[in-house]
């Protein structure tokens, strides 16, 4: 009953309001609804944090179903590709989703074997092991900063003792790289090594890594590849040259000024690894063994005249008396062995030995010969150049063309000014909208307060009228016609002398505030 009375009273008050009051109340209600809506949206958005981003709609279904089962509130933003949950439940939800295998693009790892099934065949056991291993490898690979998603496929042939030729296992890995990121050859090599070490008998050459654009990332990553070695040597050489160039510029910039000199260094490095062994005698000599041999012989004999004639066949020649000769022989041989101390010196020259260094320095503007010589001497000492090695420094002076740099600086400055202008315009627009809403709210509040005050005054005056006790409506108004609730009432003229003082006061009030008096009469009629 009280509720119906309240609604009836509110309806009567609404009908009793003027058009201006009704518009003010409507605007106030709209402003309050808008304020409450945006305030609630902002508070709700501030209390939510992303659980997953860049989610495929087909993969978001299991996650949402699991969140519903966990009774975790969530919001979908960015066209359904981002799932948000309350900030205080982000980590809890991730842990529960990970334990249930409902993570993005994932399945169950070795959790498949937490619950044993009766009657499972060996083939099913092998398939489950392969699925679990693929998921465990995927979870490890997505931990890389540059990898957003990954799919791992393993081909593990069944082992059998009856097969003469056993096919080796193989693997294919598909990676989705994060925006503005790139996988380095070292990271790809690490992924290949991870998978190769996780599967028995899987060789690195049987692992193929691709990205979502179809590029093969696992090519030319072998450590024995000549191209890879050459590329590594070039990178080392260029890094060494850049370090020397940076050193020269850091030396010349405080003297000549910023962007007043350009240095270019060309280094010739020897990447061959050399090893030399030298035996050097050292210490005192010692006799280790001696060998001595002496031979002597003496005797007589006959013989012809030595030469060719005595050895040619011919008539026999008979020696006469005195043809005998005496012969003697003596030989002496001596061998002494010494022990000499030796020192073995092994020299290993690491790769990357500097063979020659060439440096060129270009200075902006005209430079005198004396200043050029000073620059040359300073750079030579700073780089440690060796003239015997063939190192050289060339210093030249040229006028730099800075038009492109000036244009870039002007474009950058213009872009910064435009950005500041956009920020200022957005700030002004927001301030205008906020000020308009605030002004509308203030005006509405003022109108409501004035309306309430006028109603209070009207009720007070009604109480005065009721206290005065008018008995004739005609005595309240001035003579003439008065419109009341759409009805024209003819008010007769009464002489002033016939009116009581209370009636005169009421007539004066009706003259000054006819609308309020009419409102009072409407309330009387409504009560009746």
């Amino acid at each position: 009953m009280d509720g119906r009375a309240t609604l009836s009273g509110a309806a009567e008050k609404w009908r009793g309001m003027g058009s201006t009051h009704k518009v003010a109340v409507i605007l106030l209600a709209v402003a309050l609804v808008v304020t409450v809506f945006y305030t609630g949206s902002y508070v709700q958005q501030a209390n939510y944090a992303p659980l997953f981003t860049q989610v495929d709609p087909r993969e978001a279904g299991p996650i949402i179903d699991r969140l519903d089962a966990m009774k975790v509130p969530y919001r979908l933003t960015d066209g359904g590709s981002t799932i948000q949950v309350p900030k205080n439940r982000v980590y809890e939800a991730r842990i529960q989703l990970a334990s249930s295998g409902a993570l993005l693009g994932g399945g169950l790892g070795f959790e498949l074997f937490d619950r044993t099934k009766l009657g499972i065949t060996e083939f099913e056991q092998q398939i489950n092991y392969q699925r679990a291993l693929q998921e465990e490898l995927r979870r490890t690979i997505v931990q890389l900063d540059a990898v957003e998603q990954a799919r791992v496929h393993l081909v593990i042939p069944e082992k059998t003792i009856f097969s003469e030729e056993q096919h080796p296992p193989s693997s294919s890995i598909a990676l989705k790289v994060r925006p503005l990121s790139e996988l380095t050859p070292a990271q790809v090599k690490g992924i290949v090594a991870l998978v190769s070490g996780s599967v028995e008998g899987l060789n690195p050459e049987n692992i193929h890594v691709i990205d979502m654009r179809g590029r093969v990332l696992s090519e030319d990553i072998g450590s024995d590849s000549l191209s890879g070695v050459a590329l590594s040597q070039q990178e080392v050489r260029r890094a060494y040259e850049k370090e020397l160039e940076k050193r020269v510029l850091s030396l010349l910039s405080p003297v000549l000024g910023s962007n007043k000199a350009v240095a270019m260094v060309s280094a010739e490095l020897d990447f061959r690894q050399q090893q030399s062994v030298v035996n050097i005698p050292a210490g005192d000599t010692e006799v280790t063994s001696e060998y001595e041999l002496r031979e002597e012989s003496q005797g007589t004999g006959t013989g012809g005249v030595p030469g060719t004639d005595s050895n040619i066949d011919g008539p026999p020649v008979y020696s006469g008396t005195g043809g005998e000769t005496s012969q003697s022989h003596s030989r002496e041989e001596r061998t002494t062995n010494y022990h000499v101390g030796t020192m073995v010196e092994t020299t290993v020259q690491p790769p990357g030995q500097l063979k020659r260094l060439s440096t060129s320095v270009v200075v902006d503007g005209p430079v005198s010969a004396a200043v050029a010589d000073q620059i040359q001497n300073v750079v030579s000492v700073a780089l440690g150049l060796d003239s015997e090695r063939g190192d050289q420094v060339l210093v030249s002076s040229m006028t730099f063309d800075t038009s492109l740099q000036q244009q870039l600086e002007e474009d950058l400055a213009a872009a910064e000014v435009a950005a500041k202008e956009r920020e200022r315009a957005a700030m002004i627009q927001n301030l205008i909208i906020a000020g308009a809403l605030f002004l509308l709210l203030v005006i509405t509040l003022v109108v409501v307060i004035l309306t309430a005050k006028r109603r209070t005054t009207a009720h007070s005056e009604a109480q005065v009228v009721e206290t005065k006790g008018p008995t004739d409506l005609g005595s309240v108004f001035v003579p003439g016609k008065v419109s009341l609730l759409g009805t024209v009432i003819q008010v007769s003229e009464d002489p002033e002398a016939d009116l009581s003082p209370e009636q005169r006061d009421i007539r004066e009030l009706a003259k000054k505030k006819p609308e309020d008096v009419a409102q009072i009469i409407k309330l009387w009629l409504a009560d009746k």
Side-chain angles (χ1 to χ4, degrees):
M1 189 66 182
D2 295 337
R4 293 181 179 179
T6 303
L7 293 176
S8 178
E12 290 296 335
K13 291 180 180 180
W14 175 258
R15 288 193 295 268
M17 289 183 181
S19 59
T20 304
H21 296 166
K22 291 181 179 179
V23 171
V25 172
I26 293 173
L27 291 178
L28 177 61
V30 172
L32 289 177
V33 170
V34 172
T35 303
V36 171
F37 175 76
Y38 281 104
T39 303
S41 299
Y42 177 77
V43 172
Q44 188 178 15
Q45 184 176 3
N47 291 331
Y48 276 71
L51 179 66
F52 294 115
T53 59
Q54 301 296 327
V55 183
D56 192 292
R58 294 174 298 178
E59 298 175 345
I63 299 177
I64 294 177
D65 294 340
R66 185 59 184 172
L67 291 176
D68 290 334
M70 294 162 49
K71 297 183 179 180
V72 176
Y74 61 88
R75 294 177 55 197
L76 299 178
T77 58
D78 298 335
S81 62
T82 300
I83 302 177
Q84 295 182 345
V85 298
K87 287 184 177 180
N88 57 348
R89 303 196 64 178
V90 171
Y91 300 107
E92 176 188 356
R94 286 180 181 174
I95 292 173
Q96 293 184 4
L97 289 174
S99 61
S100 62
L103 284 175
L104 177 61
L108 294 176
F110 285 112
E111 305 91 44
L112 281 171
F113 300 97
D114 291 342
R115 295 185 298 269
T116 58
K117 296 182 180 179
L118 297 177
I120 187 171
T121 63
E122 184 179 357
F123 177 76
E124 293 177 342
Q125 190 80 3
Q126 180 66 25
I127 293 298
N128 288 338
Y129 172 76
Q130 183 173 334
R131 289 175 52 196
L133 186 57
Q134 290 177 167
E135 175 60 20
E136 293 294 334
L137 290 174
R138 187 203 66 83
R139 293 179 184 178
T140 305
I141 293 173
V142 296
Q143 299 301 317
L144 294 175
D145 295 335
V147 178
E148 182 176 346
Q149 296 182 27
R151 295 292 300 272
V152 180
H153 303 277
L154 297 176
V155 178
I156 304 177
E158 184 180 359
K159 294 182 180 180
T160 174
I161 60 175
F162 299 103
S163 178
E164 296 180 356
E165 183 180 356
Q166 183 71 30
H167 296 283
S170 61
S171 174
S172 298
I173 304 171
L175 302 177
K176 183 178 181 181
V177 184
R178 296 184 184 277
L180 304 178
S181 299
E182 192 73 23
L183 279 175
T184 63
Q187 291 175 324
V188 177
K189 185 177 179 181
I191 294 174
V192 171
L194 169 68
V195 178
S196 175
S198 302
V199 180
E200 181 182 359
L202 180 57
N203 297 323
E205 56 268 17
N206 293 331
I207 300 176
H208 307 282
V209 182
I210 65 172
D211 61 3
M212 292 303 175
R213 290 179 289 179
R215 298 184 304 169
V216 180
L217 306 178
S218 56
E219 291 182 347
D220 299 333
I221 61 172
S223 58
D224 297 334
S225 176
L226 295 179
S227 59
V229 173
L231 181 60
S232 177
Q233 292 177 357
Q234 291 296 329
E235 291 177 352
V236 171
R237 174 172 172 266
R238 189 57 192 144
Y240 178 70
E241 292 174 347
K242 285 185 177 181
E243 182 63 27
L244 295 182
E245 293 170 359
K246 183 179 178 182
R247 181 178 299 182
V248 173
L249 293 179
S250 63
L251 178 65
L252 298 180
S253 296
V255 179
L256 302 177
S258 179
N259 298 327
K260 293 297 183 181
V262 177
M264 184 68 66
V265 177
S266 177
E268 184 178 352
L269 303 178
D270 186 5
F271 290 98
R272 295 178 300 175
Q273 185 175 0
Q274 300 178 359
Q275 180 177 356
S276 58
V277 181
V278 179
N279 294 326
I280 303 176
D284 299 333
T285 59
E286 298 179 357
V287 178
T288 58
S289 62
E290 290 184 348
Y291 174 74
E292 184 176 356
L293 176 63
R294 182 179 297 175
E295 294 181 357
E296 292 182 359
S297 62
Q298 188 174 3
T300 60
T302 60
V305 180
T308 306
D309 296 339
S310 61
N311 295 323
I312 298 176
D313 296 338
V317 178
Y318 301 98
S319 61
T321 307
E324 297 180 358
T325 60
S326 61
Q327 296 179 352
S328 63
H329 174 73
S330 175
R331 185 171 68 90
E332 184 177 352
E333 181 181 351
R334 185 173 183 177
T335 302
T336 304
N337 296 323
Y338 298 92
H339 174 73
V340 180
T342 58
M343 179 178 66
V344 179
E345 181 177 343
T346 302
T347 304
V348 179
Q349 180 179 345
Q353 189 72 20
L354 179 62
K355 296 176 61 177
R356 189 171 57 182
L357 197 64
S358 301
T359 306
S360 177
V361 179
V362 181
V363 182
D364 185 17
V367 177
S368 61
V371 175
D373 293 339
Q374 291 180 356
I375 294 175
Q376 183 175 359
N377 295 332
V378 169
V379 173
S380 300
V381 175
L383 298 181
L385 302 183
D386 188 0
S387 58
E388 296 181 357
R389 192 172 52 193
D391 299 345
Q392 58 181 352
V393 177
L394 177 63
V395 179
S396 303
S397 61
M398 298 180 183
T399 302
F400 290 177
D401 184 9
T402 59
S403 58
L404 179 60
Q405 182 178 359
Q406 292 177 357
Q407 182 66 30
L408 292 176
E409 292 178 354
E410 292 176 359
D411 294 343
L412 181 60
E416 292 179 355
V417 171
K420 291 182 180 179
E421 289 295 333
R422 288 194 297 269
E423 292 179 358
R424 187 180 304 171
M427 185 181 298
I428 293 175
Q429 182 179 1
N430 294 333
L431 290 176
I432 291 175
I433 294 175
L437 291 176
F438 180 75
L439 183 61
L440 178 62
L441 183 61
V442 170
I443 293 174
T444 305
L445 291 176
V446 170
V447 170
V448 171
I449 292 173
L450 292 178
T451 303
K453 186 176 181 180
R454 179 174 295 180
R455 285 182 173 278
T456 303
T457 305
H459 282 291
S460 300
E461 292 173 353
Q463 293 177 359
V464 172
V465 172
E466 291 177 357
T467 304
K468 303 286 184 168
T471 57
D472 186 8
L473 293 177
S475 64
V476 177
F477 301 98
V478 295
K481 295 181 180 180
V482 179
S483 176
L484 182 62
L485 296 177
T487 304
V488 178
I489 301 175
Q490 180 69 30
V491 181
S492 59
E493 183 178 359
D494 296 327
E496 291 285 339
D498 297 338
L499 298 177
S500 63
E502 292 80 1
Q503 292 175 341
R504 294 193 187 96
D505 294 339
I506 294 175
R507 174 168 290 185
E508 291 295 329
L509 180 62
K511 290 180 180 180
K512 293 180 180 180
K513 298 180 180 180
E515 294 181 358
D516 294 341
V517 174
Q519 184 68 22
I520 294 172
I521 296 175
K522 289 179 182 180
L523 293 176
W524 286 348
L525 296 177
D527 292 339
K528 292 180 180 180

